[in-house]
């Protein structure tokens, strides 16, 4: 029977389009990844990608939603946030002025993640950030 079992584990969470849901998504991520070396980075990425979905897409409308998926294998954590679209441009990093209070989210995600993939289009996109746990003795993802 073991030959049919996969090592990766996958969790999903559907979030209504309100700011409070980003906090819930962070807690949910923290609970799943408790004691994992990438837990802090994953929690921050969930916060940034969830906030971006609410700010820049139809996910932030009164009946909007975004979906969060966590995939965990031996050393890899993949965090995917799927929005409801409504924005014709693909997400991209920007250079924020020092006094700006926003505009750094995707840049932060790109700095933390080993890999970043963006799929979909104006009718819904999925942004996936991949973290890799450190080798024994190393301290950062």
């Amino acid at each position: 029977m073991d030959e049919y079992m996969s090592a990766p584990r996958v969790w999903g969470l559907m979030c209504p389009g309100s700011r409070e849901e980003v906090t819930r998504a962070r807690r949910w991520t923290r609970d799943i990844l408790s004691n994992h070396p990438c837990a802090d980075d994953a929690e921050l990425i969930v916060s940034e990608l969830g906030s971006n979905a609410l700010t820049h897409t139809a996910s932030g409308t009164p009946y909007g939603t975004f979906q969060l998926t966590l995939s965990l294998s031996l050393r890899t954590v993949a965090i995917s946030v799927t929005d409801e679209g409504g924005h014709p441009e693909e997400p991209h990093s920007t250079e924020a002025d020092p006094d700006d209070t926003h505009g750094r989210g995707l840049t932060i995600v790109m700095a933390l993640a080993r890999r970043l993939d963006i799929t979909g289009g104006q009718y819904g996109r999925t942004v996936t950030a991949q973290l890799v746990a450190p080798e024994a003795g190393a301290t950062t993802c």
Side-chain angles (χ1 to χ4, degrees), residues 53 56-61 65 82-88 121-125:
H56 301 292
T57 75
S59 293
T61 62
T65 63
T82 302
D83 64 48
E84 291 193 347
H87 197 281
Q122 75 179 56
Y123 300 107
R125 285 192 177 83

Side-chain angles (χ1 to χ4, degrees), residues 74-141:
L74 291 176
R75 288 190 51 223
T76 304
V77 177
I79 302 129
S80 298
V81 172
T82 302
D83 64 48
E84 291 193 347
H87 197 281
E89 293 181 30
E90 184 172 294
H92 59 280
S93 63
T94 59
E95 190 163 327
D97 289 329
D99 295 331
D100 287 347
T101 58
H102 58 84
R104 295 176 185 84
L106 204 52
T107 302
I108 291 169
V109 172
M110 291 169 64
L112 295 172
R114 170 77 55 95
R115 178 180 175 155
L116 184 73
D117 293 314
I118 300 170
T119 58
Q122 75 179 56
Y123 300 107
R125 285 192 177 83
T126 300
V127 179
T128 302
Q130 183 183 66
L131 298 170
V132 177
E135 301 267 344
T139 58
T140 60
C141 286

Side-chain angles (χ1 to χ4, degrees), residues 11-74:
W11 293 265
L13 179 68
M14 182 68 74
C15 298
S18 68
R19 296 280 167 201
E20 296 81 21
E21 290 301 309
V22 174
T23 301
R24 183 170 74 104
R26 286 178 64 134
R27 266 195 321 269
W28 181 80
T29 300
R30 173 63 67 188
D31 288 346
I32 291 170
L33 297 177
S34 64
N35 300 320
H36 192 281
C38 295
D40 291 337
D41 290 349
E43 185 179 359
L44 181 55
I45 288 171
V46 164
S47 181
E48 295 298 336
L49 294 181
S51 294
N52 283 352
L54 293 176
T55 302
H56 301 292
T57 75
S59 293
T61 62
Y63 297 103
T65 63
F66 67 94
Q67 173 144 0
L68 170 60
T69 305
L70 293 179
S71 299
L72 180 63
S73 62
L74 291 176

